Amino acid sequence: MRNSFVSHTRIPKHAASHARNPNHTQPSLSARASRTPAAGSPPSAAQSPGNNAPTRTPSGSHFPPLASTDPAKEMEKLGMSEEEEEMEVKEEEEEEETASYLNSSTSEGGRRSRGREEKERTKMRERQRRAITARILGGLRKHGNYNLRVRADINEVIAALAREAGWLVLPDGTTFPSSQAGRPTTSASTLPMPHSAAPPLRGMSPPGSFRSLDHRQAMVDKRLRGVFSPLAGPVPASPLCFATAGISGTSQDQSPVLEDSIESGEDGKVTREDLPRLPDRDFSGTPYVPVYVMLPLGAVNMNCEVADPDGLINDLKLLKSAGVDGVMVDCWWGIVEANKPLEYNWSGYKSLFQIIKQLKLKLQVVMSFHKCGSNVGDDITIPLPNWVAQIGRANPDIYFTDGHGRRNTECLTWGIDKERVLRGRTALEVYFDFMRSFRVEFNELFEDGVISEIEVGLGPCGELRYPSYAMEHGWRYPGIGEFQCYDQYLMKSLRNAAEGRGHSFWGKGPDNAGTYNSRPQDTKFFCDGGDYDGHYGRFFLAWYSKVLIDHADHVLTLVKLAFEGSSIAVKLSGVHWWYKTASHAAELTAGFYNPCNRDGYAPITAMLKKHNAALNFTCVELRTLNQYEMFPEAMSDPEGLVWQVLNAAWDANIPVSSENALPCFDRDGFHKILENAKPFDDPDGRHLLSFTYLRLAPALFEEMNFFEFKRFVKKMHGEAVLDN
């Protein structure tokens, strides 16, 4: 039981030393904390009635009043900080309460030891609290990838967890749901300023289950110094003020703080027009990032002719006037080699490329070995070559297949890369022959520098991924998708890998991974603590992702032979839904082995580095907060995914290009792209190699849309643009 000195009157700690020894002016801290006068000590001669009356304790002791001193100087003498002083006062108050309750007293020696013991107990409790906090932070950083500083306090941990749960936390601690109406009103002058930027993720696993948006939000705030709001022009970026770019490309106000505090002007309230216009971030003098525009998917029709040459020329002239550097064109395998193997028709592309050359525009050319018409935004249908379809009818295992036996005819399975099932050729040989024919046919454009880059299609939609979320099989966002390895060729590869591991019974796909539209928590494979992280799960996912990386490795080896000396790029899809769960289920079914405890993109960037290939990544215009507002159940985090992939590529020292995933016409979306293209305070000055805008369409040339697009191009080029 704690020893206590009964006191109803607050006694200065160093008064006792004056009573016992007036000449002793600097007692030790522990002595001051424990010394009290002996009972019946005579009062000092200096004592007098009135304001300077001595303090009397219940036991009858008298103490002289202290001389007036400066508290700060007194603390400085004692070597005490304000925090230590407050802690000691708190301890003393606790002691007094206990003393009043017990109504007991102790000897002078007991009081001295009690003071020392209490100080030691206080230190011990503080050490224990700090140790517990350190272990919590260490676990979160190691297993959950929270970007918390080493000496973060418990408030920062709580704030990080709150943000992870979808709440918004202001610097002063005010907390409320991000999508709930009736939030605290905040004027434009008091909007929270951006936080300091978090360091990039280097060789770390992406954020996972119940992990903080802290590092990703810091990244957002760092890179969004001037986000446009249609209410009153640009406003400082914060988690609370975003103008959402909808799927249709129109700007939808998602600024709840402003919306709650800005009314019609009645009753003396501030109107939208009254808000000050804050400047955009100034991109003048920043690195020059070339801007390309994708041409329509059907720029060359199925007869291999330019679909609308006059209209296309007018559109290209407008793009040229906006300062665009060039265009991206899909060269469709299903058009060029449509009828017979090794019989190529390049006539339509010759005409198209000549138009582009005359307008002094550059060309990014995509070797499109997939079918068009199966994905969002595909407005036409371009199948695989007819002769390939004939082979597929006789041998459907040349296509990717799901666990229910459904075939995906969008592209060829990677299981036949080295199987001679295509009229005596392997899939790799078919791809190489197509690319070599293109290189020979357009040699002059390579020599003149008109063709600036070759992007090789490596899977569905021209992206390096499995066709795990096929809409033709009933998938709808945000379903987790299904594994696509059940054709006979990939199953044979899986069985061989299992036998090589010594566990032949592992030579089959998971039977508890759900269906296309399942949620991770509804499956035994992808749920927290599920089979994905068990022995079999890790084996299967490692094999599944290795097949993807090996396919890219083999194709790029041939690409380097066909296009020696040319710039090469590979497109990687941005599978951002379920990114904030432990398993990252949608990424796993797509072939990216990227759960919360593993970096699935570092092996891909290392492979690209081997071939000196650039990485083209999508969804750079998407915002995490917008995705949460529209699809809170998707646990999506496009900004976290972009940040992870960009840093994985930059850590591997490979160039990075990007493109938008959905139509973008508003200033807010363009700002998001700009901030990703040119990080505000990157110490290495890293930036995108190029940006490709999706896509040329009549809506782009509408007056306001085209005005914003021209401003965007100038900023990408590092030119000065006036705010308006």
Side-chain angles (χ1 to χ4, degrees), residues 12 14 18 25 32 65-75 77:
H14 50 308
H18 285 273
T25 59
R32 288 178 56 190
L66 292 175
S68 176
T69 58
D70 185 351
K73 293 182 179 180
E74 184 69 11
M75 289 175 62
K77 289 180 181 179

Side-chain angles (χ1 to χ4, degrees), residues 697-715:
L700 176 62
F701 298 117
E702 293 178 8
E703 183 177 359
M704 285 305 301
N705 293 344
F706 198 52
F707 172 77
E708 294 295 342
F709 178 74
K710 288 189 289 185
R711 294 179 79 257
F712 164 72
V713 172
K714 288 182 178 179
K715 290 189 174 187

Side-chain angles (χ1 to χ4, degrees), residues 438-456:
F438 178 88
R439 179 65 178 81
V440 172
E441 194 70 37
F442 298 102
N443 180 64
E444 181 182 348
L445 297 181
F446 282 97
E447 293 182 351
D448 293 343
V450 176
I451 296 178
S452 60
E453 182 181 84
I454 295 292
E455 181 176 293
V456 57

Side-chain angles (χ1 to χ4, degrees), residues 428-439:
L428 290 176
E429 290 171 343
V430 169
Y431 303 147
F432 176 71
D433 290 339
F434 182 89
M435 293 185 291
R436 181 175 56 182
S437 173
F438 178 88
R439 179 65 178 81

